[in-house]
Amino acid sequence: MEYLLGLGDDALVAAQRLGEWVTVAPELEEDVALANIALDQLGAARLLLGYAGELEGAGRDEDALAYLRSDREYRNCLLVELPNGDFATTMAKLLLLSAYQLPLYAALSVGADERLAAIAGKARKEVAYHLDHASLWTVRLGDGTEESHRRMQAAVDELWPYTVELFAADPAAPVDPAGLRSAFLANVEPVLETATLDRPADGWGPDGGRAGLHTEHLSYLLAEMQVLHRAHPGARW
Amino acid sequence: MVSAVRSSDARRAAAAVLDPELRVLTIDDLGVLRDVTEDPATGRVTVTITPTYTGCPAMDVIRADIRAALTAAGHADAEVVTVYAPAWSTDWISEAGRAKLAAAGIAPPGPAGPAAGRPVPLTLTVRCPHCGAADTEQVSRFGSTACKSLWRCRACREPFDHLRAF
Ligand SMILES: [Zn+2]
């Protein structure tokens, strides 16, 4: 249940952040792209949270878990809750997230839990396209103008420490995150190289997301996401 | 308990339901319709479908349309079950479906092949569904729905949607 919440909350919070770009992306095509990627993440989040609610057996459905938990009850990694920043930061976040989700979903798709395997097998195909998309932009911006290179490098440098949390060992999990790091690096390092970007050095990274200890950014994100449901429970349109 | 059997008239009714976003294709053409069974004892029909994409907003409409089509065909007691494995692939789009797409000006997908994940993707040539030219360029990796990308033909200058291999 806690593990599923981690997976589902990563996808849900990432979807919410990506959705913030709708109508304000640098070009119309990118507006559509980010909305579609957000929709994929939201689709995975709904299935994962729905399953988590069933396992809990307390009558909470996907909406109850999404709209009626406080920030301290969210189990997402810190990476996805950080503000979007500029477009380079958003693409760096998407690159790191999808490079992590791809091997994670691939491993879960052949796991013992059939229900989770089915969801992961589906999400894996979608995330592969997200990784392609983020990779293309990382190369375009990194190997672009002096200014775009500077911004892309700054984004990667700023976000790199947040990847430490993604691979914290958890031997009890269906897939131990520690075992995914080499596949993650194999997804990211060639992209950075092609983009003429320096791969940041590994070191300390902030964590706590999986235990419910978040940055204040998540609180604002949830306030916006949950306000309507909390003010008008069960509202439909 | 009597086990469910395939129901041909219920299947025909469900198979005729159109995809809300690709109105030229039925859910059968698209490979979204997986199975239709009927319990001979109760007459209850169970329709199994699978989504194209997990976040596909058309699924609720498809479920409602299936129930309406079955009710119209005399099967008011119908249940729609959604499965996620095996994951839908554009390889499941029928030959008839591909022909309908092309006729509607949407370039059909190539083979989906193994799951992607290449760090730097390669782009394959897509033929223009209007004039057949191979001299085309991708305008946007995403089109009006998650399953499409937007292309432009350099020969006839027409823009077109491409259902991307997935
Ligand atoms: Zn043409």
Side-chain angles (χ1 to χ4, degrees):
Chain A
M1 159 87 186
E2 287 285 307
Y3 182 77
L4 281 172
L5 286 181
L7 295 176
D9 290 346
D10 281 356
L12 177 61
V13 174
Q16 186 71 11
R17 278 285 181 237
L18 288 165
E20 291 172 8
W21 276 103
V22 173
T23 72
V24 293
E27 55 188 33
L28 182 62
E29 288 77 10
E30 200 50 32
D31 227 277
V32 174
L34 293 175
N36 273 306
I37 293 171
L39 208 52
D40 287 344
Q41 293 282 350
L42 187 63
R46 291 183 61 179
L47 296 176
L48 291 163
L49 293 182
Y51 185 28
E54 283 177 38
L55 284 184
E56 183 190 43
R60 290 203 284 183
D61 63 5
E62 61 189 51
D63 282 350
L65 288 171
Y67 293 127
L68 299 174
R69 276 181 303 149
S70 69
D71 46 5
R72 289 296 292 266
E73 294 167 286
Y74 265 73
R75 293 290 175 264
N76 59 279
C77 60
L78 302 181
L79 176 71
V80 293
E81 72 195 43
L82 298 176
N84 281 332
D86 61 9
F87 187 68
T89 307
T90 292
M91 280 303 132
K93 270 171 77 176
L94 186 61
L95 174 71
L96 300 175
L97 177 67
S98 55
Y100 154 72
Q101 284 181 325
L102 186 62
L104 170 62
Y105 285 141
L108 289 171
S109 72
V110 293
D113 182 336
E114 276 184 30
R115 172 94 171 262
L116 181 55
I119 298 170
K122 191 93 188 113
R124 171 199 182 180
K125 294 180 68 170
E126 296 169 0
V127 164
Y129 203 68
H130 305 170
L131 177 60
D132 279 355
H133 190 71
S135 299
L136 284 170
W137 270 112
T138 301
V139 170
R140 189 167 158 189
L141 296 174
D143 193 17
T145 66
E146 204 174 302
E147 173 67 2
S148 73
H149 176 88
R150 185 188 66 74
R151 288 202 190 199
M152 198 67 227
Q153 184 68 61
V156 170
D157 290 345
E158 182 197 339
L159 296 173
W160 194 261
Y162 289 90
T163 64
V164 173
E165 180 185 23
L166 303 177
F167 306 106
D170 180 5
V175 170
D176 187 344
L180 299 170
R181 190 151 188 279
S182 59
F184 162 82
L185 291 174
N187 285 333
V188 172
E189 285 174 342
V191 177
L192 296 181
E193 193 181 333
T194 308
T196 69
L197 296 166
D198 293 328
R199 175 219 193 273
D202 294 320
W204 176 86
D207 62 6
R210 302 286 185 224
L213 302 172
H214 295 280
T215 66
E216 67 170 1
H217 305 300
L218 181 69
S219 316
Y220 287 105
L221 179 146
L222 292 181
E224 186 176 281
M225 188 178 87
Q226 298 180 337
V227 62
L228 192 124
H229 189 89
R230 287 183 185 264
H232 306 280
R236 306 183 73 88
W237 66 85
Chain B
M1 186 197 150
V2 184
S3 64
V5 295
R6 298 281 182 284
S7 170
S8 57
D9 74 309
R11 184 178 172 96
R12 259 194 306 280
V17 168
L18 295 175
D19 180 83
E21 291 183 342
L22 293 164
R23 297 295 296 177
V24 296
L25 296 190
T26 66
I27 57 172
D28 195 28
D29 291 329
L30 201 50
V32 161
L33 182 65
R34 304 311 296 156
D35 201 13
V36 181
T37 58
E38 183 172 353
D39 186 326
T42 64
R44 168 160 246 217
V45 172
T46 302
V47 178
T48 306
I49 57 173
T50 195
T52 53
Y53 286 73
T54 51
C56 180
M59 291 306 285
D60 287 336
V61 177
I62 290 175
R63 276 187 277 268
D65 288 352
I66 289 172
R67 271 189 288 270
L70 287 170
T71 302
H75 297 281
D77 186 14
E79 179 191 26
V80 182
V81 175
T82 307
V83 296
Y84 296 94
W88 179 81
S89 162
T90 45
D91 289 348
W92 295 358
I93 299 175
S94 65
E95 282 308 315
R98 284 162 201 273
K100 288 183 202 174
L101 280 174
I106 301 170
R118 308 169 301 276
V120 180
L122 51 118
T123 308
L124 301 169
T125 304
V126 176
R127 283 195 178 275
C128 170
H130 304 297
C131 73
D135 186 16
T136 60
E137 62 182 336
Q138 189 180 58
V139 178
S140 172
R141 289 168 48 76
F142 290 86
S144 52
T145 64
C147 52
K148 290 183 228 155
S149 56
L150 191 59
W151 290 65
R152 175 166 50 213
C153 175
R154 289 203 193 90
C156 73
R157 315 300 297 171
E158 286 291 322
F160 63 91
D161 275 334
H162 167 50
L163 203 65
R164 53 190 174 80
F166 181 70

